[in-house]
Amino acid sequence: LTKSTGSNAPSLRGNLRRISSTASRRLATVDDSNTDPRLKEPRFEDNTDVVIVGGGPSGLAAAIRLKQLANKEGKEIRVVVVDKGGEIGAHILSGAVIETRSLDELIPNWKDLGAPLLQPALKDRMVFLTKSLSFPLPHPPAVNNKGNYIVSLSNVVKWLGEQAAEVGVEVYPGFAASEVLYNEDGSVAGIATNDVGLDKNFQPKDNFERGMEFKARVTLFAEGCHGSLTKTLINKFNLREGRDPQTYGIGIKE
């Protein structure tokens, strides 16, 4: 979580104006170093309370929880989620086994709401593999999947996007955050979405349209593993200093 300043999305390339109730904001200043005049066009700027980069499980869960807390206290808070996928769930690795404790806390009636958790995990096996044989091993309790569900995570995320919209989150797929915006004091001010209609040399084509700036009081980066904007923040604020390196694991399924 990084703090910034601001508060209400006009037209993200036209179609946002139709689904957002806010009016267009002032035009943001831009870098005029490129000679093509269209790249000197100002970007629309919009103010919100929270902007979340990434419409995956963590980004959507955070958005839903923020709106739940605000609604419970009778407060108005505007939460915007932008995601690069053409639709929510499009960039999610599909197969997963889900333990539902977090979902139980976030949306207790998820079964009644039709969450796509349909196949419980029925059996676990642990084996040692050789070149031609497998030997059964005692199953460690820590990796017991009893009570968990085998799911398409992409479908679960699509459903989370619907739940986010139900509680008043503004979810905008198809808009990749391409730049972190900063205040004069160096704190994060928000994000800018990418320009569209560029050729392979990043020069504007006939369908070129500028991106848009979202200024927010709080900007939350939920880009997932090796998020491009997150990496710039890690470098700028030395967030890896004194920390263990990030680790990765490979999951294999038949």
Side-chain angles (χ1 to χ4, degrees):
L1 268 153
T2 49
K3 288 193 128 185
S4 35
T5 53
S7 163
N8 271 330
S11 119
L12 273 173
R13 279 173 235 134
N15 62 356
L16 250 159
R17 181 90 18 89
R18 295 194 293 272
I19 56 178
S20 171
S21 59
T22 55
S24 59
R25 301 293 176 185
R26 65 185 177 84
L27 298 176
T29 58
V30 295
D31 178 17
D32 62 356
S33 59
N34 196 294
T35 54
D36 191 296
R38 288 172 293 181
L39 288 175
K40 299 178 184 178
E41 293 177 9
R43 293 185 289 215
F44 277 105
E45 180 184 309
D46 191 31
N47 294 324
T48 184
D49 295 301
V50 181
V51 62
I52 298 175
V53 181
S58 59
L60 290 170
I64 291 169
R65 189 60 180 148
L66 285 168
K67 288 297 289 186
Q68 286 175 339
L69 292 171
N71 293 342
K72 182 178 179 180
E73 297 182 12
K75 296 180 179 178
E76 278 294 324
I77 180 175
R78 184 169 177 234
V79 180
V80 171
V81 176
V82 295
D83 187 81
K84 64 184 178 183
E87 60 180 18
I88 293 298
H91 284 255
I92 300 296
L93 290 175
S94 186
V97 177
I98 288 184
E99 186 208 310
T100 63
R101 278 187 298 176
S102 297
L103 186 58
D104 292 336
E105 293 181 17
L106 183 68
I107 307 174
N109 60 333
W110 55 266
K111 289 184 179 180
D112 297 333
L113 294 174
L117 281 71
L118 306 174
Q119 177 58 58
L122 302 177
K123 183 170 64 174
D124 285 304
R125 282 202 307 150
M126 180 73 70
V127 296
F128 180 82
L129 300 177
T130 69
K131 190 172 183 178
S132 57
L133 299 171
S134 65
F135 299 94
L137 294 174
H139 192 75
V143 292
N144 188 347
N145 284 296
K146 183 178 180 181
N148 299 342
Y149 287 81
I150 302 167
V151 302
S152 163
L153 192 58
S154 177
N155 287 338
V156 173
V157 170
K158 289 178 184 177
W159 178 81
L160 279 175
E162 295 169 1
Q163 305 314 304
E166 284 291 322
V167 294
V169 177
E170 297 177 38
V171 183
Y172 299 129
F175 298 99
S178 61
E179 179 185 349
V180 181
L181 306 176
Y182 296 96
N183 295 307
E184 291 183 1
D185 63 0
S187 61
V188 173
I191 56 97
T193 62
N194 60 317
D195 297 337
V196 296
L198 298 173
D199 62 21
K200 64 181 180 180
N201 297 315
F202 298 100
Q203 293 302 307
K205 298 188 294 187
D206 291 340
N207 62 340
F208 171 77
E209 292 184 45
R210 287 287 279 160
M212 179 178 174
E213 294 189 358
F214 279 102
K215 297 291 185 68
R217 297 169 62 192
V218 172
T219 303
L220 194 155
F221 295 88
E223 296 177 287
C225 173
H226 274 298
S228 56
L229 298 188
T230 302
K231 287 197 288 187
T232 67
L233 292 165
I234 288 171
N235 293 331
K236 181 178 177 64
F237 296 110
N238 297 319
L239 300 179
R240 290 281 186 219
E241 188 174 347
R243 273 77 173 178
D244 290 336
Q246 189 167 1
T247 58
Y248 303 92
I250 298 177
I252 302 172
K253 66 174 184 174
E254 182 180 343

